[in-house]
Amino acid sequence: MATTLDRPSSDNAIFAAMEPHDSGNFANNNTPLIRNCWYAAARTHEIDRTPLARKFLGVDVVLYRTEGGEPVAMRNRCPHRSFPLARGTLVGDRLVCGYHGMEFGADGACAHLPAMGHAPATASVRTFPIVDRGPLAWIWMGAPDLANEALIPDTHWLSDPAWGTVSGDFHILCDYVSMHENLIDQTHFPFLHPDTVGTPEYARSKLTASTENGQVVIRRELRDAPPPGVYGKPANIMHKKVDRTSEARFVSPALHTAYARVAVGDPDPGEPGLYRYNITHVFTPETNNSIHYWWFNSRDYRPGDAAIDRFMLEAHTQAYSEDVEALQWINEVVRTDGEEQFDLSFAPDKPGLMARRIMHRLAMAEAG
Amino acid sequence: MATTLDRPSSDNAIFAAMEPHDSGNFANNNTPLIRNCWYAAARTHEIDRTPLARKFLGVDVVLYRTEGGEPVAMRNRCPHRSFPLARGTLVGDRLVCGYHGMEFGADGACAHLPAMGHAPATASVRTFPIVDRGPLAWIWMGAPDLANEALIPDTHWLSDPAWGTVSGDFHILCDYVSMHENLIDQTHFPFLHPDTVGTPEYARSKLTASTENGQVVIRRELRDAPPPGVYGKPANIMHKKVDRTSEARFVSPALHTAYARVAVGDPDPGEPGLYRYNITHVFTPETNNSIHYWWFNSRDYRPGDAAIDRFMLEAHTQAYSEDVEALQWINEVVRTDGEEQFDLSFAPDKPGLMARRIMHRLAMAEAG
Amino acid sequence: MATTLDRPSSDNAIFAAMEPHDSGNFANNNTPLIRNCWYAAARTHEIDRTPLARKFLGVDVVLYRTEGGEPVAMRNRCPHRSFPLARGTLVGDRLVCGYHGMEFGADGACAHLPAMGHAPATASVRTFPIVDRGPLAWIWMGAPDLANEALIPDTHWLSDPAWGTVSGDFHILCDYVSMHENLIDQTHFPFLHPDTVGTPEYARSKLTASTENGQVVIRRELRDAPPPGVYGKPANIMHKKVDRTSEARFVSPALHTAYARVAVGDPDPGEPGLYRYNITHVFTPETNNSIHYWWFNSRDYRPGDAAIDRFMLEAHTQAYSEDVEALQWINEVVRTDGEEQFDLSFAPDKPGLMARRIMHRLAMAEAG
């Protein structure tokens, strides 16, 4: 099911172009959060021998690492008197509550209750599956029997030494639905990001949108055009005409990936004919109206080049800061404006609506 | 229906003196806000080519001025993805959304949606009638078909060069009902404003209260008495005995006006025999518990006299600051005290209750 | 009904050891606050000729002292227009509202309403019984006909010159139920207070718990052991072995008392054979999730010794600060964690649960 969305001649609202009776079936900031999903919890290096408190899907969680190096995630709330376990101390692989000294192993079972001299048989704190994958640890907050590590999304390029990656993070006061819609929607580039990624040629280029196995994919091709500065400058190809293929993909509620492939027909001697860029957006709802966000920009040439790293970090930090600001402004309006609004949508919004419809279905299936 | 309220001999609660079964039919901070009313939105000079965000009756509004100088008011929320339009840019007479570049004309219709290459036929943002009148622009947040410019209240003296006017403003964390009651109630003068307007003679003077066409009017006369400093000092008549006539009027939910006429029987040579003062209190609910407030003090002599202006500005800023402080304290008590209270009322409260009853009726008529 | 709780061999949850079907009948931070109880309102010296605003059980109260020295407590809200009376002025024994000058006597009756020239017959502000007892004034916020001064709990040692007392206070963002449970539970000492009162010998000592006339009492005896620093150092008996008897008592929702008796079998010449310490914990709910807290540590030797006072003040301020910090962390978790939790309890929790069950019964009896 691929649809060409480039410069539609009709101005019918998008609803007419999609399945009938579909309006309203799009996730928004009030939709229950999707729990059966692998979400990023932290950068792996953040999880160490000092307990770290962080909230995911509204639940307080404490993260630490065993002496053997395994990440552990458990509720940040002693099952006895609700003391936040992250305020306790780590002794060997056990987290010791700072109030009454209850000791919990990495499996969450209470191993010792000092006031009793032994461990009560039934006491335990809920743990969450958590797995290191490259630069991030991924956590499963949903039904325990559905946790399947094979479902952790592939981001192998983030730890491939052939790729040079720069990265940053934000805590954003917005909902994860708006963030997904922002990422798969590139029609905002010329307006929100006029100084970085928003070239007019790109906004007008041909686009196809499709759903593939519960993912939403949009693809563009742009032939024989000047490269955008953000890709052309670090590769030193601003004087060339290039063919550019790009993809953006709603992978899961936790992940959006994108790539750009820039082909140079007449590379200078010794230079590549193809430059590849992977962009990885990872985010996890803290609450319905706040997210933890990590971004990664990877390139397949000159890894470790400090000047290129600096350029990429600055350019993307600026662009993503613009998104963060806009999403926070919108979230504040949605939460505080005294009059409800059902947002209008148009044909170019179809990719975002496809993702929001998938999120709505996932959320309703869990709630139902 | 005029009632003399001066020093009543009975201490029956006011309810008995009014229509039976009336208790409870007085607006308070929980009453739905009255929408079908012209409210002040801003000083005219605040509305310019930089979009201005302000909330009225709980609704986020953006204000700007066209190239031709006409004021425009529209919801500060793009109908597409709720971006606050005040964060966008003004191009000609169109406000351009900062997210996807949707362009809205002064009539609210979408004139262009860049991602579609043209404007969707049905897209628009709600606009609100807004009209310049002297120093203020007045907005209509209610039912559009009821907006009638002839209903904008008369405040022509504010732009009459024969009158010298000083002015100030406050953002107050209180409800507009309490503000109205405060303004029409002068029995608080000796206690809240002992150093400015609160003379004992005035508090004891004869008062009549009446309703006239949905307005509440109180009038006082005080003969052959020393003038209060706030009126006598700027006119340089503190050595005279004067006759003083004054009126306070609940004009509408948006406006309270008052005047004082100070007559000198034996004016000094070349000096006037009558000094006139108009006081104009304009305020607009931001929410149920906060208001935008603008005040004006006008005199019919020596307009532009800097020393008198300074005196009037300082004296009234002090007095109104005392009202602001008291109203905020009360609002905080009302919102946070753990025990409900139905305030008692007494005969001298009748003018305030008359205004609150009118506001209650207006609000219920809109809600019903 | 006394139960030995020392190192129980069974790990059954405490519920099994108590009355059947009892789970859930324990007060927590959502239980309605108990009103029919004498609570501390303030230190007596805080109540003077400057009106003092303070909230008890969610109700705004103003405290002042008459010219004759009697404490007065009334709602901090004028019955006329809700002005906070603490912002008014005290004239003789009358509190004068700062808005319209209504005057309220120490009995709460309106003695004068200036705008009427006399007092309305029915107007009054609710007063609360309040009584000075030693360093504290005690207030009754409950049903007026149940106020009985004979029920004010005995704390006579706080004003006995034979005892040397140090004292401090905290405003704590926690519920009073957790505070009671914290005080009667000494199994947290080694973990929350490792540097002060938390000796391992003490935590392992024999303990009996009982209920006596609606109070919960736990007692411990420890024979021929080194004294803890907090009691041994100020008495200069760290080189001795001592017998130690201690008690902790849930007296009422407003009060927890404790004592320690330290006996030296072979006192040095001229030194006492017995050292007595009384600890008095007084606290009052401000709201369901905040309390006013005053603590007192009294000893029956060397009253007024500045060095001992300083030592006792520092040691106890540190220990109680640890409690305050823990209770605030817990309260924050309980209020903000997105997943409910029914705390597990174990045999050593029995004293705290006994107190919480009493509080639950008192609250339900008032509500029912």
Side-chain angles (χ1 to χ4, degrees):
Chain A
M1 189 187 91
T3 315
T4 298
L5 289 176
D6 185 47
R7 300 183 63 82
S9 57
S10 159
D11 60 2
N12 288 335
I14 184 65
F15 306 116
M18 301 183 74
E19 295 173 14
H21 315 303
D22 206 22
S23 65
N25 290 330
F26 303 108
N28 63 22
N29 73 317
N30 288 318
T31 306
L33 299 172
I34 296 163
R35 309 191 87 77
N36 290 325
C37 176
W38 287 99
Y39 287 104
R43 293 184 191 270
T44 52
H45 69 75
E46 289 182 288
I47 305 176
D48 56 22
R49 298 290 294 168
T50 301
L52 172 67
R54 193 163 282 176
K55 187 172 282 207
F56 306 114
L57 312 184
V59 178
D60 290 322
V61 173
V62 52
L63 306 172
Y64 70 92
R65 202 168 284 282
T66 64
E67 289 182 326
E70 292 301 308
V72 178
M74 52 178 67
R75 282 191 74 178
N76 186 21
R77 183 171 181 173
C78 182
H80 173 230
R81 283 298 175 271
S82 292
F83 187 89
L85 294 172
R87 301 283 189 177
T89 51
L90 198 51
V91 177
D93 288 352
R94 294 181 185 175
L95 190 49
V96 182
C97 179
Y99 199 2
H100 297 89
M102 276 182 90
E103 301 180 10
F104 299 95
D107 61 353
C110 178
H112 188 52
L113 195 172
M116 291 181 68
H118 63 281
T122 56
S124 66
V125 62
R126 181 177 170 198
T127 57
F128 304 94
I130 185 168
V131 180
D132 290 327
R133 279 294 159 86
L136 295 170
W138 295 77
I139 193 170
W140 180 269
M141 301 290 294
D145 55 317
L146 298 181
N148 176 356
E149 293 187 21
L151 300 176
I152 298 174
D154 176 28
T155 55
H156 70 274
W157 57 88
L158 297 179
S159 35
D160 183 339
W163 290 74
T165 295
V166 296
S167 179
D169 47 63
F170 292 91
H171 179 260
I172 315 180
L173 297 177
C174 78
D175 62 288
Y176 74 148
V177 179
S178 294
M179 183 67 173
H180 273 297
E181 193 166 37
N182 169 273
L183 288 168
I184 209 156
D185 156 47
Q186 297 172 351
T187 66
H188 74 269
F189 283 12
F191 303 96
L192 196 57
H193 313 300
D195 301 328
T196 50
V197 294
T199 67
E201 295 85 356
Y202 186 68
R204 284 199 297 268
S205 63
K206 201 174 193 67
L207 175 153
T208 60
S210 60
T211 56
E212 302 173 358
N213 299 320
Q215 303 188 345
V216 179
V217 187
I218 62 171
R219 293 193 183 90
R220 285 178 196 265
E221 290 188 24
L222 193 60
R223 305 215 166 272
D224 206 32
V230 72
Y231 294 139
K233 284 178 190 168
N236 198 20
I237 53 171
M238 290 304 285
H239 55 297
K240 305 281 187 184
K241 288 287 181 68
V242 299
D243 292 341
R244 184 173 159 203
T245 309
S246 62
E247 179 189 289
R249 182 181 292 258
F250 165 81
V251 178
S252 83
L255 179 65
H256 175 102
T257 59
Y259 69 68
R261 306 287 176 254
V262 180
V264 182
D266 58 338
D268 289 345
E271 296 299 323
L274 179 68
Y275 294 86
R276 296 189 299 167
Y277 297 92
N278 283 359
I279 309 105
T280 313
H281 302 275
V282 186
F283 45 102
T284 305
E286 180 187 52
T287 66
N288 268 62
N289 291 294
S290 58
I291 65 174
H292 306 287
Y293 171 50
W294 303 263
W295 64 264
F296 302 84
N297 188 285
S298 310
R299 65 185 184 275
D300 74 341
Y301 64 96
R302 288 187 225 162
D305 181 309
I308 297 181
D309 281 356
R310 197 176 322 113
F311 172 85
M312 295 304 257
L313 191 60
E314 285 175 8
H316 289 86
T317 296
Q318 182 190 330
Y320 300 148
S321 295
E322 291 161 349
D323 288 312
V324 168
E325 201 171 43
L327 290 169
Q328 296 197 145
W329 286 337
I330 289 171
N331 189 266
E332 192 188 353
V333 167
V334 168
R335 281 185 296 104
T336 67
D337 188 27
E339 242 174 53
E340 292 290 319
Q341 174 171 301
F342 185 75
D343 286 344
L344 295 180
S345 292
F346 308 103
D349 298 316
K350 185 158 181 176
L353 291 173
M354 289 159 80
R356 287 173 61 188
R357 191 167 54 177
I358 290 170
M359 293 179 77
H360 189 266
R361 284 180 183 158
L362 290 171
M364 292 302 106
E366 289 186 10
Chain B
M1 189 186 92
T3 315
T4 298
L5 290 176
D6 185 47
R7 299 183 64 82
S9 59
S10 157
D11 61 2
N12 288 335
I14 183 64
F15 306 118
M18 301 184 74
E19 296 172 15
H21 315 303
D22 206 24
S23 65
N25 291 331
F26 303 109
N28 63 22
N29 73 316
N30 287 319
T31 306
L33 300 172
I34 296 162
R35 310 190 87 77
N36 290 325
C37 176
W38 286 99
Y39 287 104
R43 294 185 189 270
T44 52
H45 71 75
E46 290 182 288
I47 305 176
D48 56 22
R49 298 287 296 167
T50 302
L52 172 67
R54 193 163 281 175
K55 185 173 283 207
F56 306 114
L57 311 184
V59 178
D60 290 322
V61 173
V62 53
L63 306 172
Y64 70 91
R65 202 169 283 281
T66 64
E67 289 181 326
E70 292 302 308
V72 178
M74 53 178 67
R75 284 191 74 179
N76 187 21
R77 183 171 181 174
C78 183
H80 173 230
R81 282 297 176 273
S82 292
F83 187 89
L85 293 173
R87 301 282 189 178
T89 51
L90 198 51
V91 177
D93 287 353
R94 294 183 185 172
L95 191 50
V96 182
C97 179
Y99 200 1
H100 297 89
M102 275 181 91
E103 301 181 12
F104 299 96
D107 62 354
C110 178
H112 187 51
L113 196 173
M116 290 181 68
H118 63 280
T122 56
S124 67
V125 62
R126 182 177 169 198
T127 58
F128 305 94
I130 185 166
V131 179
D132 290 327
R133 280 291 160 88
L136 294 170
W138 295 78
I139 193 170
W140 181 270
M141 301 290 294
D145 54 318
L146 299 180
N148 177 356
E149 292 186 21
L151 299 176
I152 297 174
D154 175 29
T155 55
H156 70 273
W157 57 88
L158 297 179
S159 36
D160 184 338
W163 290 74
T165 295
V166 296
S167 178
D169 47 63
F170 292 91
H171 179 260
I172 315 179
L173 297 176
C174 78
D175 62 287
Y176 75 146
V177 179
S178 295
M179 184 67 174
H180 273 297
E181 193 165 37
N182 170 275
L183 288 169
I184 209 155
D185 156 47
Q186 297 172 351
T187 67
H188 73 269
F189 282 12
F191 304 96
L192 195 58
H193 313 300
D195 301 326
T196 51
V197 293
T199 67
E201 296 84 357
Y202 186 68
R204 282 198 300 267
S205 64
K206 203 173 190 67
L207 175 153
T208 59
S210 59
T211 55
E212 302 173 359
N213 299 322
Q215 302 188 346
V216 180
V217 187
I218 62 171
R219 294 192 181 88
R220 285 177 196 266
E221 291 187 23
L222 194 60
R223 306 216 166 270
D224 207 34
V230 71
Y231 294 139
K233 285 179 190 169
N236 197 21
I237 53 171
M238 289 304 286
H239 55 295
K240 304 283 187 185
K241 287 289 183 65
V242 300
D243 292 342
R244 181 174 161 203
T245 309
S246 62
E247 179 189 288
R249 182 181 291 260
F250 165 83
V251 178
S252 83
L255 178 66
H256 176 103
T257 60
Y259 69 69
R261 306 286 176 255
V262 181
V264 184
D266 56 338
D268 290 345
E271 295 299 324
L274 179 67
Y275 295 85
R276 296 190 298 166
Y277 297 92
N278 283 0
I279 309 104
T280 313
H281 302 275
V282 186
F283 44 103
T284 305
E286 179 187 53
T287 67
N288 267 62
N289 291 295
S290 59
I291 65 174
H292 307 287
Y293 171 48
W294 302 264
W295 64 265
F296 302 84
N297 189 284
S298 310
R299 63 185 186 276
D300 74 343
Y301 64 96
R302 287 188 223 161
D305 182 308
I308 297 180
D309 282 355
R310 197 177 321 114
F311 173 85
M312 295 303 256
L313 190 62
E314 283 176 9
H316 288 87
T317 297
Q318 182 190 332
Y320 300 147
S321 296
E322 291 160 351
D323 288 310
V324 167
E325 200 171 42
L327 290 168
Q328 296 197 145
W329 286 337
I330 288 171
N331 188 265
E332 191 188 354
V333 167
V334 169
R335 281 185 296 102
T336 67
D337 189 26
E339 242 174 55
E340 293 290 320
Q341 173 171 301
F342 184 76
D343 286 345
L344 294 179
S345 293
F346 308 103
D349 298 315
K350 185 159 181 176
L353 291 173
M354 289 159 80
R356 288 173 59 187
R357 191 168 51 178
I358 290 170
M359 294 179 77
H360 188 265
R361 283 180 183 159
L362 290 172
M364 290 303 107
E366 289 186 9
Chain C
M1 188 186 91
T3 315
T4 298
L5 289 176
D6 186 47
R7 299 183 63 81
S9 58
S10 159
D11 59 3
N12 289 334
I14 184 65
F15 306 117
M18 301 183 75
E19 296 172 16
H21 315 302
D22 207 22
S23 65
N25 291 330
F26 304 108
N28 63 23
N29 73 318
N30 288 319
T31 305
L33 299 172
I34 296 162
R35 309 191 87 78
N36 290 325
C37 177
W38 287 98
Y39 287 103
R43 294 184 189 269
T44 53
H45 70 75
E46 290 181 287
I47 305 176
D48 56 22
R49 298 289 294 168
T50 301
L52 172 67
R54 194 163 281 175
K55 187 172 279 206
F56 306 115
L57 311 184
V59 179
D60 290 323
V61 174
V62 53
L63 307 172
Y64 70 91
R65 202 168 283 280
T66 65
E67 288 181 327
E70 292 303 308
V72 178
M74 53 178 66
R75 283 191 75 178
N76 186 23
R77 183 171 182 174
C78 183
H80 173 229
R81 283 297 175 273
S82 293
F83 187 88
L85 294 172
R87 302 283 189 177
T89 52
L90 198 52
V91 176
D93 287 354
R94 295 182 184 172
L95 191 50
V96 182
C97 180
Y99 199 1
H100 296 89
M102 276 182 90
E103 301 181 10
F104 299 96
D107 62 353
C110 179
H112 187 52
L113 195 172
M116 290 181 68
H118 63 280
T122 55
S124 66
V125 62
R126 182 178 171 199
T127 58
F128 304 95
I130 185 167
V131 180
D132 289 328
R133 280 293 159 86
L136 294 171
W138 295 78
I139 193 169
W140 181 269
M141 301 289 296
D145 55 317
L146 299 180
N148 177 357
E149 293 187 20
L151 299 176
I152 298 174
D154 176 29
T155 54
H156 70 273
W157 57 89
L158 297 180
S159 36
D160 184 338
W163 291 74
T165 295
V166 296
S167 178
D169 46 62
F170 292 91
H171 180 261
I172 316 180
L173 297 176
C174 78
D175 61 287
Y176 74 147
V177 179
S178 293
M179 184 67 174
H180 273 297
E181 193 165 36
N182 170 274
L183 288 168
I184 209 156
D185 156 47
Q186 298 172 350
T187 67
H188 74 268
F189 283 11
F191 304 96
L192 195 58
H193 313 299
D195 301 326
T196 51
V197 295
T199 68
E201 295 85 355
Y202 185 69
R204 283 199 299 267
S205 64
K206 201 174 193 68
L207 175 152
T208 60
S210 60
T211 56
E212 301 175 0
N213 299 321
Q215 301 187 346
V216 179
V217 188
I218 63 171
R219 293 193 183 89
R220 285 175 195 268
E221 290 188 24
L222 192 61
R223 306 215 166 271
D224 207 32
V230 73
Y231 295 139
K233 284 179 189 168
N236 198 21
I237 53 170
M238 289 304 286
H239 56 295
K240 303 282 187 184
K241 287 289 183 65
V242 300
D243 292 341
R244 182 174 161 203
T245 310
S246 63
E247 180 189 288
R249 182 181 291 258
F250 165 82
V251 178
S252 83
L255 179 65
H256 175 103
T257 60
Y259 69 68
R261 306 286 175 255
V262 180
V264 182
D266 57 337
D268 288 345
E271 295 298 324
L274 180 68
Y275 295 87
R276 295 191 299 166
Y277 298 93
N278 283 0
I279 309 105
T280 313
H281 302 275
V282 186
F283 45 102
T284 305
E286 180 187 53
T287 66
N288 268 62
N289 291 296
S290 58
I291 66 174
H292 307 287
Y293 171 50
W294 302 265
W295 64 264
F296 302 85
N297 189 284
S298 310
R299 64 185 185 277
D300 74 341
Y301 64 95
R302 288 187 223 161
D305 182 308
I308 297 181
D309 281 356
R310 197 176 321 115
F311 173 87
M312 295 303 256
L313 190 61
E314 285 176 7
H316 288 86
T317 297
Q318 182 190 332
Y320 301 147
S321 296
E322 290 160 351
D323 288 312
V324 167
E325 200 171 42
L327 291 168
Q328 295 197 146
W329 286 336
I330 288 170
N331 189 265
E332 191 190 353
V333 167
V334 168
R335 283 185 295 103
T336 66
D337 189 27
E339 238 175 57
E340 293 290 318
Q341 173 170 301
F342 185 76
D343 285 345
L344 294 180
S345 292
F346 308 103
D349 298 315
K350 183 157 182 176
L353 291 173
M354 290 159 80
R356 287 173 61 187
R357 190 167 54 177
I358 290 170
M359 294 179 77
H360 188 266
R361 284 180 182 159
L362 291 171
M364 292 301 106
E366 289 186 10

